[in-house]
Amino acid sequence: MQDLKIYNTLSGKKEIFKPINSQHVKMYVCGPTVYGEGHLGHARPAITFDILFRYLKYLGYKVRYVRNITDVGHLLNDADDGGDKIGEKAKSLQLEPMEVAHYYTKKYHDSMQKLNVENPSIEPIASGHIIEQIEMIKKIIDNGFGYEVNGSVYFDVVKYNESNNYGILSRRKIEDMMDNTRELDGQSDKKNQVDFALWKKASPEHIMRWPSPWGDGFPGWHLECSAMSCKYLGEEFDIHGGGMDLVFPHHEAEIAQCCAANNNKGANYWMHNNMITIGGQKMGKSLGNFITLDQFFNGTHSKLNQAYHPMVIRFFLLQAHYRSTIDFSNDALQAAEKGLIRLFNAIKVLNELIPKKQSTIDVSFFVSKCDEAMNDDLNTPIVLSHLFELVKIINSAKEGSYDLKLEDIDNLKQMFHKYTISIFGLHSLNQENNTSDLDGLMNLILDIRNKSKENKDWATADKIREELNNLSIQIKDTKDGSQWSYKN
RNA sequence: GGUCGGAUGGCCGAGUGGCUAGGCAGUGGUCUGCAAAACCAUCUACACCGGUUCGAAUCCGGUUCCGACCUCCA
């Protein structure tokens, strides 16, 4: 077995993955802020790290995967009058903030289930860990890296940087940041503009608030992940993941908080998925290309020509490497849909293949190529390209231009199952369960149609085929007789 | 403005010095009552300008364009 290599943002290089404990992997991924509909930006990290979660388990590790839900309303901007997203939404809908959070958490879970994203081992909620966050702030203050001003607590980045490296992850220099940060209305309590809030005093109209040693307020933007990863994974753990947009300031701040509180940087490997674009543009509400996951699944958005099955979204994401940007368009998704159908058709063909005495192709070559690609920083598009080469071989074997012996067919079955089902978490667009009743029915229909064909009653034969087609059942007339399958 | 990343054929997307990634679409063929599927063949590439090299999509320099972050963000 080759080593798994993953790209570590901390070092800027691919590194051989070695967990702290040789049997167990501890992994934390930043989850959604639940104040709005789930969108593609939520799907990508969820799927990227779902693949990693599944693969690590496949490799035999016990994995504790923690992915948080952020339901604490953080400020919209740095000014003191700011509302927060969840609070604002709650006000506008006249709901309790917790109702808003709960509603969108449920929707997020529904979408994740449709995308066949496995549940993490623990899904901690930020508002349920206020105590842990307060305790962490106390430690940071005790260690001299936090200061209180007017009921708020800030992280002293400049002081921290004297003994640590603020910028270790994002490769920023504190001097540049000091130069670049513009003055914000002069009202700030911060010693330096680069400082960030650990605890924020709640203004009277701020709904989400908790008591603390510094008065009523709410925790800072970056603290929850540090507090919760520390609680469930310990002061040092293996992998921390999230979107690239989180590298700075969120993850940089997390490292600083962990070092300041525990004198330990937290995660050893930092992994970041790249962003998505829609039609070449950044997805954004102002650009009119903000498409929710539900809209993709239902096809209810003016930019979409059709509905896209969650598996198509998942498959499409896997056709690009997680560290590349990926562009969504109708053309690209339709291509992915066809590719996915082709892949699963080949698996069906494989299951029906008649073994030959000898193989005329070296199957093990492809097996090792796939493993190699997967171990090379989860290069899923390369794995898929090898699988598609095998799709051609499998189809050819059916036509007789290649031979496959029993052992190789079994190897292929195992390999396709391993990658498509176990690791990639894909399934066929129409789950063909419980088809035994239908089989009898379909055999009857095909029998009638074949009679028509024998009588050269093409009109009836075509009508049956067409009507079934409308029901998403496809007839294929082959040399060996007529076959049926779900169209998708 | 600062920091970082990217630009590959009709579309998506791998690849990082010489050897066709792959998917979808197109074209021709095989098969078929017709169709679909499948198979075979085939077409369209490496943003631009220089440089290094026997050889550059790949390395170096410059240019243009795009994006991310710097402010909540996946």
Side-chain angles (χ1 to χ4, degrees):
Chain A
M1 192 68 207
Q2 314 131 306
D3 291 316
L4 168 63
K5 279 181 291 178
I6 57 179
Y7 182 88
N8 190 349
T9 309
L10 208 48
S11 63
K13 285 184 230 151
K14 285 183 199 169
E15 297 176 12
I16 292 171
F17 176 66
K18 281 211 172 67
I20 297 161
N21 179 311
S22 63
Q23 317 282 311
H24 298 253
V25 175
K26 294 176 178 180
M27 164 163 122
Y28 187 96
V29 172
C30 291
T33 302
V34 283
Y35 72 103
E37 297 281 337
H39 53 78
L40 284 172
H42 295 115
R44 193 164 199 196
I47 290 173
T48 297
F49 293 104
D50 185 48
I51 302 293
L52 179 61
F53 183 37
R54 287 165 181 265
Y55 190 50
L56 289 170
K57 286 193 290 184
Y58 171 81
L59 291 176
Y61 292 111
K62 277 197 71 173
V63 185
R64 183 182 296 159
Y65 174 21
V66 179
R67 188 187 64 204
N68 67 293
I69 295 276
T70 296
D71 63 341
V72 171
H74 297 306
L75 285 181
L76 283 171
N77 56 51
D78 211 16
D80 278 336
D81 61 341
D84 65 78
K85 287 177 191 170
I86 294 172
E88 293 291 318
K89 192 98 185 179
K91 274 184 197 163
S92 69
L93 299 174
Q94 296 201 306
L95 294 170
E96 268 296 312
M98 201 56 103
E99 278 184 285
V100 174
H102 190 260
Y103 175 79
Y104 288 114
T105 300
K106 173 81 169 60
K107 294 212 75 169
Y108 176 76
H109 285 152
D110 286 349
S111 296
M112 289 306 117
Q113 193 180 14
K114 284 181 183 151
L115 289 166
N116 204 22
V117 170
E118 288 190 354
N119 292 322
S121 326
I122 303 175
E123 195 168 43
I125 295 168
S127 67
H129 297 76
I130 301 293
I131 291 169
E132 286 81 355
Q133 297 183 65
I134 289 172
E135 289 306 307
M136 193 158 192
I137 295 171
K138 283 187 192 164
K139 278 167 93 174
I140 292 171
I141 294 174
D142 288 348
N143 291 340
F145 297 112
Y147 58 92
E148 184 202 344
V149 183
N150 293 331
S152 293
V153 182
Y154 295 94
F155 189 95
D156 192 336
V157 171
V158 175
K159 170 111 187 274
Y160 171 81
N161 195 55
E162 286 167 8
S163 50
N164 294 273
N165 180 1
Y166 187 76
I168 190 171
L169 184 71
S170 56
R171 290 185 189 74
R172 282 161 201 254
K173 290 195 171 62
I174 192 165
E175 304 83 54
D176 295 342
M177 290 187 274
M178 303 275 278
D179 290 346
N180 275 316
T181 315
R182 63 206 160 87
E183 291 287 325
L184 285 167
D185 303 335
Q187 282 288 346
S188 182
D189 296 325
K190 294 185 206 173
K191 277 197 216 168
N192 292 290
Q193 289 296 337
V194 287
D195 294 352
F196 56 86
L198 295 169
W199 187 264
K200 200 84 178 156
K201 180 183 183 175
S203 57
E205 63 275 18
H206 198 96
I207 318 177
M208 304 193 85
R209 56 203 299 142
W210 291 267
S212 81
W214 316 283
D216 276 9
F218 52 96
W221 313 326
H222 315 301
L223 197 63
E224 60 192 54
C225 291
S226 296
M228 294 189 292
S229 63
C230 186
K231 172 158 183 168
Y232 297 111
L233 300 175
E235 291 179 6
E236 189 183 5
F237 56 99
D238 298 301
I239 300 170
H240 190 130
M244 264 184 195
D245 52 333
L246 296 178
V247 172
F248 190 91
H250 187 58
H251 290 160
E252 193 70 62
E254 271 188 58
I255 292 176
Q257 287 167 162
C258 289
C259 286
N262 308 322
N263 197 25
N264 198 319
K265 68 182 186 300
N268 290 328
Y269 298 86
W270 287 81
M271 295 177 71
H272 295 97
N273 62 274
N274 213 321
M275 317 305 274
I276 60 113
T277 54
I278 294 182
Q281 278 185 308
K282 177 189 178 170
M283 185 175 70
K285 282 176 179 157
S286 57
L287 293 167
N289 65 353
F290 188 90
I291 309 176
T292 69
L293 288 171
D294 277 349
Q295 286 171 331
F296 270 104
F297 302 159
N298 302 325
T300 53
H301 188 283
S302 59
K303 298 246 176 198
L304 299 176
N305 295 345
Q306 61 169 83
Y308 295 99
H309 194 284
M311 278 304 109
V312 173
I313 306 281
R314 187 172 176 113
F315 177 76
F316 182 63
L317 285 170
L318 296 180
Q319 278 191 306
H321 188 259
Y322 75 92
R323 285 193 289 114
S324 300
T325 54
I326 185 168
D327 188 51
F328 276 69
S329 63
N330 282 291
D331 284 352
L333 284 170
Q334 279 158 19
E337 183 180 79
K338 287 182 185 168
L340 182 60
I341 290 168
R342 182 168 146 88
L343 183 65
F344 275 90
N345 276 345
I347 292 173
K348 207 175 161 201
V349 169
L350 179 63
N351 286 328
E352 291 160 1
L353 221 48
I354 296 155
K356 299 285 169 58
K357 285 203 174 107
Q358 285 299 323
S359 289
T360 51
I361 186 99
D362 181 13
V363 168
S364 63
F365 170 79
F366 290 95
V367 174
S368 61
K369 280 304 218 183
C370 284
D371 292 342
E372 204 177 290
M374 197 62 198
N375 285 325
D376 184 13
D377 195 28
L378 312 179
N379 200 333
T380 56
I382 294 291
V383 174
L384 284 173
S385 79
H386 293 309
L387 292 183
F388 274 106
E389 284 178 65
L390 287 167
V391 164
K392 193 173 272 188
I393 287 165
I394 289 164
N395 286 328
S396 299
K398 189 193 178 192
E399 303 227 330
S401 47
Y402 279 110
D403 291 347
L404 288 168
K405 61 182 176 187
L406 184 63
E407 188 192 338
D408 282 340
I409 291 175
D410 286 341
N411 278 342
L412 284 174
K413 282 183 191 170
Q414 213 176 11
M415 176 189 182
F416 270 81
H417 190 274
K418 166 182 162 185
Y419 278 107
T420 58
I421 311 289
S422 304
I423 299 174
F424 289 176
L426 297 167
H427 57 68
S428 139
L429 296 186
N430 261 314
Q431 301 268 35
E432 294 180 25
N433 36 13
N434 245 346
T435 54
S436 55
D437 290 353
L438 202 56
D439 265 334
L441 209 59
M442 284 306 300
N443 286 341
L444 174 68
I445 294 170
L446 289 182
D447 196 43
I448 293 169
R449 181 164 174 271
N450 282 333
K451 288 269 158 43
S452 325
K453 284 172 70 180
E454 278 166 31
N455 299 328
K456 297 205 187 290
D457 179 5
W458 307 126
T460 305
D462 287 352
K463 182 176 167 58
I464 291 170
R465 186 171 63 195
E466 197 186 316
E467 294 290 330
L468 286 174
N469 192 51
N470 291 338
L471 298 169
S472 289
I473 291 171
Q474 190 172 56
I475 302 295
K476 293 175 193 170
D477 292 331
T478 70
K479 278 179 217 159
D480 311 318
S482 300
Q483 295 174 353
W484 71 277
S485 64
Y486 286 108
K487 205 159 66 179
N488 288 327

